[in-house]
Amino acid sequence: MANRTPLIAGNWKMYKTVSEAVETAGQLKKNVADTAGVDIMIAPTFTAIAAVCDSVKGSNIDVGGQDLFWETEGAYTGQLSPTMLVDVGCRYVIIGHSERRQYFAETDESVNKKIAAAIKTGLIPVMCIGESENQREAGQTFSVLDKQVKKGLKGFFADDLKTLVIAYEPVWAIGTGKTATSTQAQEVHQYLRSLLTEIFDQTFAQSVRILYGGSVKPENVSELMSMPDIDGALVGGASLNADIFSKIVRFQ
Ligand code: PGA
């Protein structure tokens, strides 16, 4: 089996002013300074990205954008380009989060374009996928994920996607306190790896990091991380507090 370095990522969504974000990042930096063997990423709001990048520079924490637009520059009011994220110091970018799909008309087609733009610019894409509660209850979980993965990764070769990270986030578990059980999450992660084997090949499928997201907390992270196909976590609410997020980072 490939050696996949775990990734613990914090999605700060639309929370924190610049000074609050810098304070949390500074605290986190101290808390996790001696943590090894795990990659750490935080994704602040756009206004705080540059300041947070400065604050964690040289540490073991990387910074990500929460979204991007696929063009490099142009008359696209309100958008941020991949080069702009790189320019301020981002290494990662979250793409296709369910909140963007739900409220901001993100589609599998736009996700596909954004992944291409991220890769072209050297940003590590974190592609989010996940089924809604109704879809799960209707037995459609695998077919929904199949479509999101195939459309999101359409036209790529395994070689293009060397850095790709996938985040499986069941929509019913985001911000609800309802976590998928480790068995439910493992079942999906295993399915995703077999899907990647089918679309690409086994070597690639074994190398891709697949994160779980949805109400991850210090109390449930170890159990989730003990599963063979869970390679990390994308954390929302519990990433806003440096002490709580540090406990998740130190899941071992
Ligand atoms: P949550 O959010 O941890 O607050 O459930 C996860 C996410 O949306 O990435």
Side-chain angles (χ1 to χ4, degrees):
M1 181 182 295
N3 201 5
R4 301 183 295 266
T5 307
L7 168 64
I8 304 291
N11 172 11
W12 288 356
K13 306 191 179 183
M14 199 175 74
Y15 291 100
K16 297 186 187 292
T17 59
V18 175
S19 60
E20 288 164 350
V22 168
E23 193 186 325
T24 308
Q27 187 63 46
L28 183 65
K29 189 166 100 172
K30 275 190 224 147
N31 290 358
V32 301
D34 60 350
T35 310
V38 52
D39 291 345
I40 308 166
M41 181 270 266
I42 45 178
T45 58
F46 287 139
T47 51
I49 292 177
V52 168
C53 283
D54 283 348
S55 134
V56 299
K57 209 172 189 165
S59 76
N60 54 351
I61 302 171
D62 286 311
V63 179
Q66 296 179 10
D67 184 33
L68 85 176
F69 188 54
W70 53 80
E71 296 291 346
T72 309
E73 61 177 14
Y76 303 106
T77 302
Q79 298 297 314
L80 279 183
S81 80
T83 38
M84 289 166 181
L85 290 177
V86 170
D87 180 47
V88 287
C90 284
R91 185 144 185 252
Y92 289 82
V93 62
I94 298 171
I95 295 173
H97 189 280
S98 66
E99 285 149 18
R100 297 219 54 88
R101 293 179 190 256
Q102 193 178 345
Y103 306 126
F104 304 104
E106 187 84 82
T107 62
D108 292 323
E109 289 71 25
S110 57
V111 165
N112 183 260
K113 288 186 186 172
K114 289 178 178 188
I115 291 175
I119 289 169
K120 201 170 151 211
T121 326
L123 285 164
I124 301 173
V126 180
M127 177 176 84
C128 301
I129 54 173
E131 82 287 1
S132 67
E133 187 150 35
N134 288 345
Q135 290 166 332
R136 176 163 278 263
E137 276 165 10
Q140 296 165 349
T141 301
F142 290 165
S143 61
V144 167
L145 296 171
D146 187 280
K147 179 175 143 290
Q148 289 175 338
V149 169
K150 285 187 176 150
K151 289 192 162 183
L153 301 181
K154 195 173 165 194
F156 293 112
F157 296 103
D159 251 12
D160 305 321
L161 299 171
K162 283 198 183 102
T163 62
L164 176 75
V165 175
I166 293 178
Y168 167 58
E169 301 202 298
V171 178
W172 48 272
I174 296 179
T176 58
K178 281 195 222 169
T179 324
T181 64
S182 52
T183 318
Q184 278 174 325
Q186 166 60 22
E187 186 192 22
V188 170
H189 284 227
Q190 195 174 18
Y191 169 77
L192 292 171
R193 229 177 274 289
S194 63
L195 182 62
L196 293 173
T197 305
E198 180 197 311
I199 307 172
F200 300 99
D201 58 61
Q202 197 175 5
T203 313
F204 174 73
Q206 286 299 326
S207 72
V208 174
R209 291 188 287 184
I210 308 179
L211 316 184
Y212 168 77
S215 300
V216 175
K217 305 182 264 283
E219 296 76 32
N220 58 24
V221 65
S222 319
E223 167 70 21
L224 288 161
M225 290 301 291
S226 71
M227 293 290 142
D229 289 296
I230 300 183
D231 307 313
L234 181 54
V235 187
S239 72
L240 294 169
N241 176 294
D243 290 338
I244 296 174
F245 189 55
S246 315
K247 287 190 187 141
I248 297 176
V249 170
R250 298 165 183 281
F251 63 88
Q252 280 121 335

